[in-house]
Amino acid sequence: MVFAGQEVRVGDAFTSWTTYTPTFLNVTLGTGATVTGKWRRVADFMILLRFQLTLGTGGSVTGNLGVTIPGGLSGEGTLRQTLPVWAFDSSASGYYSGVAVLQNGGGPNFDRFGGPSNTVGWNGTTPFTWASGDIIQGQGWVDVTT
Amino acid sequence: MAFPQTPLDLEVDLGVGNTYMVSGSVPSQVNVFCGGGCWAYETGLFDAITGDFDLKIDVAATDWTPPVDQVLIGKNRSFGLVTNNLSWYLVLKANGTLQLTWSPNGTFASARSATSTVSTGFTNGSRHSVRVTMDADNGFGGCTVTFYTSSDIDSGPWTQLGSAVTSGGTTSIAITAAEIEIGTTNDSKPGYAVGLTNFIGGIYAVVLLNGIGAGSIIAAPRFNQQDPGVTQFTDINGTIWRLTGDSVITRDYVDITSDVNERGKIQIKRGRPNETSTSDPTSCHLELANTAGKYSPRNPLSPYYGVLNRATPIRVGVGAGSSVLTMKQPQYDFAFCYDSAGVSLTGDQDIRVDVDLSAWGSVSTTLAMKSFSGQSSWLFLVVNNQLLWLWSSDGTNTTTVTSIPIPRPSHGRKAVRVTHDVNNGAGGNTVTFYTSDSISGTWTQLGSSIVNSGTTSIFDSTSEIVLGGWSNQGPPFRKFYGFDMKNSIGGSSVANPDFTLAAAGSRMITDGPGNQWFLAGSSEITDQDWRFSGEVYEWPIAWDNTGKDVYSQIAAGGVLRRLNQGTSSLHSTLWYAMTHNSQVKAYWPCEDDSSATQMASALPGKPAMTVTAGQTLVKFASDSGFACSQPIPQFKLSSWSGTVPDYDNSQNNEFNAWFLVHINTPVAADTPLMRVWCNSPDTPIWQLSVDNAGNLRLIAVGPFLNLLLDTGAIGFGVNGQHLRISLELRQNGANIDWAFLTYQPGDPSGLFFSGTLNTATLGKCVRLDFGQDGTLDDVSLGQVSVNCPILGLFSFKQETVAWVGETAAARVARLCNQEGIGYEVTGLIADTTPMGPQRPKALLDLLKECETTDGGILTEPRNFVGFSYRTRSSMYRQGELGGPTVTLDYSSAHLSSIKPVDDDQLTKNDVTAKREDGGSARQTLDDGSSLSIGEIGRFSTTITSNVQLDSQLVDKANWNLHLGTVDEARYPSITVELARNPFVQSSSLTKAIRNLNVGDKIVIQHMPAWMPPEDVEQLAIGFTETLWNFLHTFQVTCQPEKPWHIAVYDNTNSRYNTMGCVLVGPVNTVSTSLSVFTPSGPVWTHVDGDFDINIAGERMTVTGVSGAGAQQTLTVTRSVNGIVKSHQANEPVNLFNRVYYGE
């Protein structure tokens, strides 16, 4: 929040990073899993979001993969929003890039992941079979409603 | 000091000249609110003339051989187009002769006329009396009309103009229903259709006698005996004469410069005298030689006897070097030329206007037009800071295109142009807008050309070309420098008045192609740069011991001084709306004070509403819940009744009765709220009642108390709400349509319930009763009216919410318009602060409330008597965005004196912003900076304003905190003498100083070595001008301008500063590589090119940035501002041009 008469400073547009713990949808984290996330506001109605999941022992993806944005925020859903994501298959040392897609109409969840090309709907076996040590990362701008 | 070779080209004018009616309208403009003249209607008196009569009229024709025949006076409605309404009229013909036309039977077909055998031969603009006598029966079987002229309408002598005109057959004058109209065709277009236009010039007096020479006076309006500005007056017979349209009674100024004593300095003060938050009244003091007692009020031998009063107009000017056309009224001041073949272009258009507007962002300003209803060729307007071009190919249907916003500044002189290629060769037509700094300058295209489908053409209308006027929504004060209409795009001119070359005072000029341009209303061509316009309020007379040196050191002021003398509050917003609407036939505001015993009518001469029962119970002025009204009364079991004055419902057999009501405590049971009595034979009573649940119910009762209608309880939920309730009744054939409606002020919609009562007669509303059974208790009611035709539920929507949400500048403009005070707004009206309700306060308090709420400057203009408002946002970032900036050079001896002061006069580091009747917000500065509370102590203030919402207060508080904590010197006095050589040698510099206005930026370069090296940037907020012999001295009061450096999006001079960057280590005086550390937030970048930083007063230019982390290396050019110094570790590193958020 800025007020009339305040000097225009770069920090006005960027708040400090705030940590949050994202919830990954349709995921069994497994023992020793690590879930981290942080975000900062970069403008009115826009945040910069980062999140990462490393599956623990026994971890798996049980359905369509998804992730939540920080509590109290809601993704703006006039148009579909996407967020760049990246996945690492530890067993095959394979890298997959894709996008997370905000739920239809907006809301707190990126409720599906997709990519690379022609690969839609990341789930337990797509784009690979998820297991302990596999990683999901995402980072990007999200238009929010507040 | 080197003095100029000649004294100041000074002019002092006093408003003590002749008084007359300016008549000069465009007849075709009646349909668009222009046009005008003077008229009266006296059936018995005027109808006395049926034969001989003697008509004299004292006039100064702008053109005694006008382009089109002009009507001097007539009793003639519609020039034959409405039958049987022609009695007589007198015309000044294009060849300079006079012509009398009359009709024995009222028809145009039977009209007879007589024309003087010679022309008057008078010099254009000169004043003469002309006379015509009608001898209806000359004793020789005919009638004789004789024309005369004289220099004196009353005492003559009269010189016969040519020969008497005798025609066969005696005659008579028809008695008709026509008014007597002076200087106008009034009904206009019919007159225009028979080749007549309004008279252009001044009309001083008219005398109409029944009979020749010694007959009784039928009409004698004496314009020369009226006060300037009056719009109606009575003559010796008590006949009421009314001015319409652009006709105005004015008094000439008299040049009294030769009477100004040279020993006395003329001193003019204007604006804020110091750093106070409000302007002082403008003042002007000068000394007049008064040896002959010319300036002694009430001296019978003074040529100005009777006109030296305490508001005598005065103005002081210096020669401007060229002329300009000025207009003071938005609607009725304009210039025009008649239609001709030369200006009737049906193909490509190229139109250019050079104009100075105080507010390019006003709602609508006419630049030029050739259009009236059904005769529309084109209009060129400014609408909300965009150019608008409208054209018609058939005279009726129009097409409109608009430009992108006009570049800033949003005030001042600009030349604008539109070209219209009606056939672009690709099956379409193309409109292109341009701007320039002058009409002969280089044109810059304004946005992309606008291509429209289909070729087009421009209708060849009979309309005049009009400059200015028409719209009443633009800035009243305008300056027109020139107009140019080409015969094709880039072609040769077909109309090009250049007002810069016109003779001062002329009312008509001829342009290059030969078009004659006439001025209407109070438009004026002046060659003066007016430094003061006001009113003399003090006429002291003094003399020396010998009695040979008699003088008067007069004092003059403006409207601010007059209003400061004390005025009563303006009425409530709804009162103003209701009393200015002709549909309101009865109106009781119920705003009476607490000890009132009845509710006064606000309509003059109409009866009050009386308290018919419970006289001592009614609680007047007890409910202040409606912002649009003064407090209204509560019933407390009383009953009221109001008689409705008779009204004409012949055109609209309908009415509605409405009122504001607040049912604070529900009534016990179904209770009559309002009973409406009509003079209907079958349905005399309508009653609206309310029940415990807030339902409304309407019943209609017949003459035998027979129930005709009962709606039963209808759910309106009125309890607890502040509502307008309206009962609408309309005769619809043999039936009555009825409806009752509720509306909560501010809501987008209301509720209604309606139906039809068959076979019923409405009649007129004759009486209203309220609470007639004495059971309304905790119920407030007011603003009662009966309206015919029906006023819609949402009528006066803005007034009903007391103009909540209106911007501050719009309120200044509206209030000044409402109170008939001239004004100018500098800046974008829409870009000012939204305001809360307009409460009943004195006008000056309301205007100052606008000033405080927006944060601009309210003062008085130089050019006319009125108010000038400079918006806050128009002072943002001047030079780059906001308008003229004066740059002076200390080293070039531009300054006579300059006195910087570092003090705490402006300091406020603890600011509370409060909303009237609302919340508050507080902002403090306590961050360790030089003016923060911990460093200098607490400097607190509370600002009460009338912002619309509490959420605006935090910005208001912080903006004022920002202004109060600027760490800069202020310059209470910067003095410039225009007699000094730098100004004598530079007319542009002189002009810049003269044009410097309140709120403008002033820059002083090359300050002496003992001052900080940067340019001094200040805002001018007040002026003292002294004119004396050769000298013209400006003493300018200033305040720091840096706080007004508001960031501009995507502008290279608007950058984000970092969040606390510092030097990592010490830096010597020459190192060009600086290691810096930014503890948080994004770091420096050079992506957008070089930028300047400030380290401990040394200005450096950053030419490169390396490193993306918190610690970076800046490559710099040192000592850009001449400061050479070393720096210590941890020295703050900031942008040199720091910018701020605006309010």
Side-chain angles (χ1 to χ4, degrees):
Chain A
M1 179 73 82
V2 294
F3 304 129
Q6 278 187 357
E7 185 183 9
V8 175
R9 302 196 300 176
V10 70
D12 303 336
F14 291 77
T15 59
S16 299
W17 284 106
T18 301
T19 60
Y20 87 110
T21 303
T23 299
F24 286 88
L25 308 176
N26 299 315
V27 169
T28 301
L29 296 177
T31 304
T34 57
V35 178
T36 57
K38 63 180 183 177
W39 68 283
R40 69 195 310 182
R41 192 176 285 276
V42 295
D44 288 344
F45 309 112
M46 181 180 280
I47 62 169
L48 178 59
L49 182 69
R50 282 187 187 181
F51 54 80
Q52 178 172 324
L53 163 67
T54 304
L55 289 176
T57 304
S60 64
V61 175
T62 58
N64 282 330
L65 189 60
V67 67
T68 61
I69 67 175
L73 296 176
S74 180
E76 199 279 326
T78 308
L79 295 172
R80 283 282 193 147
Q81 290 194 62
T82 58
L83 182 81
V85 294
W86 169 87
F88 174 64
D89 180 359
S90 59
S91 60
S93 295
Y95 296 91
Y96 299 86
S97 61
V99 293
V101 183
L102 187 72
Q103 67 186 100
N104 192 21
N109 300 331
F110 281 86
D111 63 356
R112 69 196 68 180
F113 286 41
S117 301
N118 301 321
T119 304
V120 295
W122 288 4
N123 53 31
T125 56
T126 302
F128 53 87
T129 301
W130 299 84
S132 176
D134 293 345
I135 299 172
I136 306 168
Q137 283 186 342
Q139 175 176 326
W141 312 109
V142 181
D143 290 341
V144 292
T145 57
T146 53
Chain B
M1 180 186 294
F3 287 94
Q5 298 300 308
T6 56
L8 283 173
D9 179 14
L10 182 71
E11 180 173 323
V12 179
D13 292 348
L14 200 59
V16 290
N18 292 316
T19 304
Y20 54 91
M21 179 178 76
V22 177
S23 173
S25 59
V26 180
S28 58
Q29 298 303 315
V30 164
N31 286 343
V32 284
F33 311 112
C34 295
C38 181
W39 65 275
Y41 182 60
E42 285 286 347
T43 308
L45 194 59
F46 292 173
D47 291 347
I49 292 180
T50 57
D52 292 0
F53 69 89
D54 189 340
L55 171 65
K56 305 166 189 174
I57 182 166
D58 181 1
V59 296
T62 301
D63 187 346
W64 280 99
T65 52
V68 182
D69 294 355
Q70 297 178 350
V71 177
L72 287 164
I73 182 171
K75 186 174 189 300
N76 167 37
R77 183 182 293 174
S78 300
F79 290 85
L81 298 187
V82 176
T83 57
N84 304 323
N85 276 297
L86 167 59
S87 294
W88 51 267
Y89 63 92
L90 178 64
V91 166
L92 171 63
K93 294 186 67 67
N95 62 5
T97 60
L98 301 171
Q99 183 181 67
L100 179 71
T101 301
W102 71 96
S103 174
N105 62 5
T107 65
F108 206 76
S110 300
R112 300 173 63 179
S113 65
T115 306
S116 65
T117 57
V118 296
S119 68
T120 64
F122 296 144
T123 304
N124 290 342
S126 60
R127 175 183 174 184
H128 303 274
S129 294
V130 298
R131 174 185 180 191
V132 58
T133 60
M134 159 64 78
D135 183 358
D137 181 353
N138 60 16
F140 297 95
C143 64
T144 301
V145 174
T146 310
F147 297 92
Y148 303 87
T149 64
S150 174
S151 59
D152 191 319
I153 191 172
D154 293 312
S155 55
W158 292 95
T159 302
Q160 187 169 317
L161 182 65
S163 306
V165 182
T166 299
S167 54
T170 59
T171 192
S172 61
I173 308 296
I175 296 174
T176 68
E179 307 85 0
I180 289 183
E181 300 161 351
I182 302 170
T184 177
T185 62
N186 202 359
D187 291 337
S188 73
K189 285 198 291 184
Y192 197 79
V194 294
L196 296 171
T197 67
N198 290 350
F199 175 70
I200 302 173
I203 301 178
Y204 295 80
V206 172
V207 176
L208 174 61
L209 305 179
N210 185 15
I212 299 174
S216 59
I217 296 174
I218 300 300
R222 301 276 183 172
F223 302 100
N224 53 348
Q225 294 175 0
Q226 309 308 316
D227 289 331
V230 302
T231 55
Q232 72 174 46
F233 62 93
T234 55
D235 69 9
I236 192 171
N237 290 328
T239 301
I240 299 173
W241 295 88
R242 294 177 172 86
L243 275 69
T244 60
D246 61 289
S247 292
V248 58
I249 291 180
T250 189
R251 176 173 286 146
D252 278 340
Y253 278 103
V254 172
D255 186 343
I256 61 163
T257 311
S258 59
D259 289 337
V260 176
N261 273 343
E262 291 187 6
R263 69 186 177 196
K265 297 177 179 177
I266 299 175
Q267 190 170 71
I268 300 165
K269 292 185 176 180
R270 180 168 167 268
R272 297 180 178 177
N274 46 48
E275 290 71 25
T276 54
S277 59
T278 57
S279 296
D280 272 2
T282 294
S283 67
C284 175
H285 292 81
L286 58 86
E287 182 179 310
L288 296 173
N290 193 33
T291 306
K294 191 189 288 187
Y295 299 104
S296 299
R298 294 177 300 284
N299 175 12
L301 297 179
S302 166
Y304 308 136
Y305 176 73
V307 291
L308 296 179
N309 55 38
R310 285 160 204 177
T312 305
I314 189 172
R315 58 186 185 182
V316 177
V318 292
S322 63
S323 293
V324 66
L325 168 62
T326 61
M327 301 177 186
K328 302 182 185 70
Q329 305 176 90
Q331 190 174 0
Y332 296 131
D333 282 5
F334 52 90
F336 68 95
C337 78
Y338 290 109
D339 180 40
S340 67
V343 298
S344 297
L345 304 179
T346 58
D348 291 352
Q349 306 284 320
D350 185 342
I351 292 171
R352 310 160 186 212
V353 186
D354 188 350
V355 63
D356 188 330
L357 300 178
S358 62
W360 286 81
S362 61
V363 176
S364 174
T365 302
T366 310
L367 298 173
M369 59 187 276
K370 189 175 190 301
S371 175
F372 65 88
S373 180
Q375 288 288 323
S376 186
S377 295
W378 51 264
L379 289 94
F380 189 24
L381 311 178
V382 183
V383 176
N384 292 323
N385 206 39
Q386 294 173 291
L387 296 175
L388 181 148
W389 172 248
L390 176 151
W391 77 95
S392 175
S393 55
D394 61 8
T396 302
N397 298 299
T398 60
T399 306
T400 301
V401 295
T402 55
S403 73
I404 63 171
I406 300 167
R408 287 174 182 250
S410 54
H411 58 279
R413 180 177 176 179
K414 299 175 195 287
V416 293
R417 173 187 178 194
V418 59
T419 63
H420 193 172
D421 180 358
V422 297
N423 182 352
N424 60 17
N429 66 90
T430 303
V431 177
T432 309
F433 296 101
Y434 301 86
T435 62
S436 179
D437 55 355
S438 77
I439 203 164
S440 57
T442 301
W443 295 99
T444 301
Q445 187 169 323
L446 183 60
S448 302
S449 294
I450 300 161
V451 178
N452 308 288
S453 60
T455 60
T456 189
S457 61
I458 309 297
F459 180 67
D460 178 10
S461 74
T462 56
S463 173
E464 305 78 7
I465 297 179
V466 175
L467 307 181
W470 187 57
S471 169
N472 63 354
Q473 297 178 302
F477 189 79
R478 293 145 288 159
K479 293 179 181 176
F480 277 77
Y481 294 90
F483 169 81
D484 194 359
M485 180 182 185
K486 306 289 190 185
N487 64 358
S488 61
I489 297 173
S492 54
S493 297
V494 294
N496 61 356
D498 183 349
F499 299 106
T500 66
L501 303 177
S506 56
R507 302 284 301 174
M508 176 186 75
I509 69 168
T510 303
D511 67 12
N515 304 292
Q516 288 176 301
W517 291 83
F518 298 94
L519 274 56
S522 58
S523 304
E524 179 188 20
I525 292 173
T526 180
D527 62 355
Q528 291 294 302
D529 182 358
W530 298 110
R531 311 309 303 168
F532 172 80
S533 298
E535 301 160 342
V536 181
Y537 61 83
E538 193 173 290
W539 296 95
I541 310 299
W543 55 90
D544 67 358
N545 290 336
T546 68
K548 292 179 179 174
D549 183 13
V550 186
Y551 52 93
S552 179
Q553 293 176 326
I554 64 171
V559 66
L560 191 52
R561 182 188 182 280
R562 184 158 24 104
L563 292 180
N564 264 333
Q565 297 296 88
T567 53
S568 57
S569 294
L570 298 187
H571 288 282
S572 64
T573 53
L574 201 51
W575 186 99
Y576 185 85
M578 301 293 282
T579 55
H580 287 74
N581 189 292
S582 61
Q583 291 172 243
V584 178
K585 307 305 184 196
Y587 174 45
W588 298 278
C590 306
E591 296 179 336
D592 312 86
D593 286 341
S594 57
S595 58
T597 57
Q598 62 182 12
M599 296 78 172
S601 170
L603 302 182
K606 306 301 181 191
M609 180 183 287
T610 58
V611 180
T612 53
Q615 178 78 57
T616 59
L617 301 176
V618 59
K619 197 172 175 186
F620 283 93
S622 59
D623 189 333
S624 55
F626 291 95
C628 60
S629 174
Q630 298 265 34
I632 58 175
Q634 280 181 303
F635 281 94
K636 293 298 180 185
L637 309 180
S638 63
S639 303
W640 316 340
S641 181
T643 300
V644 178
D646 188 30
Y647 58 92
D648 179 7
N649 68 345
S650 58
Q651 301 298 314
N652 302 89
N653 193 359
E654 62 180 34
F655 71 87
N656 66 327
W658 73 7
F659 52 88
L660 300 180
V661 67
H662 176 214
I663 300 174
N664 195 35
T665 302
V667 296
D670 186 71
T671 304
L673 194 57
M674 175 177 70
R675 180 175 291 169
V676 177
W677 294 80
C678 300
N679 60 358
S680 163
D682 51 45
T683 319
I685 300 173
W686 298 79
Q687 179 173 293
L688 194 64
S689 58
V690 62
D691 67 13
N692 177 261
N695 302 315
L696 295 178
R697 173 188 176 198
L698 179 67
I699 63 172
V701 179
F704 306 106
L705 301 183
N706 48 316
L707 188 63
L708 303 174
L709 168 74
D710 186 349
T711 64
I714 308 298
F716 274 81
V718 300
N719 288 339
Q721 298 192 65
H722 287 83
L723 294 173
R724 169 187 286 166
I725 295 182
S726 174
L727 172 62
E728 297 183 357
L729 300 172
R730 177 181 287 116
Q731 188 76 50
N732 183 0
N735 310 322
I736 297 175
D737 292 338
W738 54 264
F740 50 103
L741 312 90
T742 65
Y743 166 63
Q744 183 157 339
D747 276 1
S749 60
L751 303 174
F752 74 97
F753 190 74
S754 62
T756 299
L757 177 63
N758 291 327
T759 317
T761 305
L762 178 58
K764 295 180 187 176
C765 178
V766 295
R767 198 176 99 194
L768 299 181
D769 293 339
F770 291 93
Q772 65 266 22
D773 69 350
T775 57
L776 290 175
D777 187 0
D778 193 9
V779 176
S780 313
L781 191 145
Q783 299 293 341
V784 179
S785 73
V786 175
N787 317 303
C788 176
I790 289 171
L791 278 171
L793 188 65
F794 302 108
S795 298
F796 312 135
K797 197 169 183 180
Q798 293 300 321
E799 288 89 342
T800 307
V801 294
W803 297 94
V804 165
E806 181 181 39
T807 64
R811 184 165 297 182
V812 169
R814 179 178 55 77
L815 287 170
C816 287
N817 267 332
Q818 173 183 307
E819 298 303 310
I821 294 174
Y823 73 93
E824 63 180 7
V825 171
T826 301
L828 288 172
I829 288 175
D831 192 13
T832 54
T833 303
M835 295 190 67
Q838 176 192 317
R839 297 177 176 84
K841 295 180 179 177
L843 173 64
L844 188 55
D845 291 337
L846 288 171
L847 294 174
K848 286 183 174 178
E849 187 176 87
C850 297
E851 178 187 30
T852 304
T853 302
D854 182 51
I857 301 176
L858 181 73
T859 182
E860 294 171 274
R862 293 181 171 121
N863 298 286
F864 60 96
V865 178
F867 282 107
S868 173
Y869 183 65
R870 179 77 189 245
T871 69
R872 169 182 37 79
S873 62
S874 75
M875 293 184 279
Y876 288 167
R877 208 61 186 270
Q878 295 183 69
E880 287 178 306
L881 299 177
T885 297
V886 173
T887 301
L888 300 172
D889 190 333
Y890 180 88
S891 64
S892 299
H894 287 175
L895 303 173
S896 297
S897 73
I898 183 168
K899 294 173 183 170
V901 178
D902 260 274
D903 63 9
D904 58 6
Q905 254 202 42
L906 293 176
T907 303
K908 304 292 176 199
N909 55 21
D910 182 347
V911 178
T912 299
K914 192 173 180 324
R915 185 168 70 91
E916 194 171 337
D917 296 337
S920 65
R922 182 181 173 206
Q923 294 289 103
T924 59
L925 182 68
D926 199 9
D927 61 357
S929 58
S930 60
L931 296 181
S932 61
I933 294 170
E935 298 295 311
I936 62 170
R938 188 177 303 277
F939 289 75
S940 62
T941 188
T942 297
I943 298 162
T944 301
S945 66
N946 187 17
V947 293
Q948 182 183 5
L949 304 167
D950 283 348
S951 57
Q952 297 169 261
L953 292 172
V954 64
D955 276 324
K956 169 79 40 198
N958 210 66
W959 174 252
N960 283 279
L961 181 76
H962 170 59
L963 296 180
T965 52
V966 56
D967 190 10
E968 281 197 17
R970 59 187 186 86
Y971 288 73
S973 174
I974 294 173
T975 305
V976 170
E977 174 50 65
L978 297 187
R980 292 171 72 116
N981 238 350
F983 297 96
V984 174
Q985 301 297 327
S986 171
S987 60
S988 61
L989 194 56
T990 298
K991 191 173 180 181
I993 288 292
R994 281 184 180 178
N995 287 343
L996 188 68
N997 214 333
V998 170
D1000 283 347
K1001 180 178 180 179
I1002 184 168
V1003 177
I1004 301 170
Q1005 298 176 327
H1006 306 128
M1007 290 292 283
W1010 54 87
M1011 293 296 292
E1014 314 307 335
D1015 292 348
V1016 173
E1017 296 176 284
Q1018 297 278 302
L1019 282 184
I1021 59 171
F1023 298 89
T1024 298
E1025 284 184 56
T1026 306
L1027 301 101
W1028 182 49
N1029 287 327
F1030 294 82
L1031 304 181
H1032 190 175
T1033 311
F1034 279 78
Q1035 182 182 319
V1036 187
T1037 305
C1038 298
Q1039 67 181 31
E1041 191 268 345
K1042 284 244 172 77
W1044 299 80
H1045 286 198
I1046 301 305
V1048 180
Y1049 181 73
D1050 207 21
N1051 181 288
T1052 54
N1053 285 325
S1054 290
R1055 285 174 174 268
Y1056 288 108
N1057 204 352
T1058 61
M1059 304 291 287
C1061 178
V1062 295
L1063 285 175
V1064 171
V1067 174
N1068 63 23
T1069 59
V1070 295
S1071 173
T1072 58
S1073 182
L1074 309 181
S1075 181
V1076 299
F1077 177 75
T1078 304
S1080 68
V1083 295
W1084 297 107
T1085 174
H1086 192 261
V1087 172
D1088 294 322
D1090 293 355
F1091 57 93
D1092 286 3
I1093 57 174
N1094 180 2
I1095 303 176
E1098 181 185 347
R1099 182 174 183 173
M1100 309 177 194
T1101 299
V1102 177
T1103 58
V1105 176
S1106 64
Q1111 187 163 332
Q1112 296 174 289
T1113 300
L1114 307 182
T1115 303
V1116 299
T1117 302
R1118 297 290 301 269
S1119 304
V1120 174
N1121 59 353
I1123 298 297
V1124 179
K1125 64 187 290 189
S1126 58
H1127 301 283
Q1128 298 177 351
N1130 283 328
E1131 199 79 70
V1133 179
N1134 282 303
L1135 282 173
F1136 183 80
N1137 293 310
R1138 300 170 77 164
V1139 291
Y1140 308 94
Y1141 293 98
E1143 187 180 348

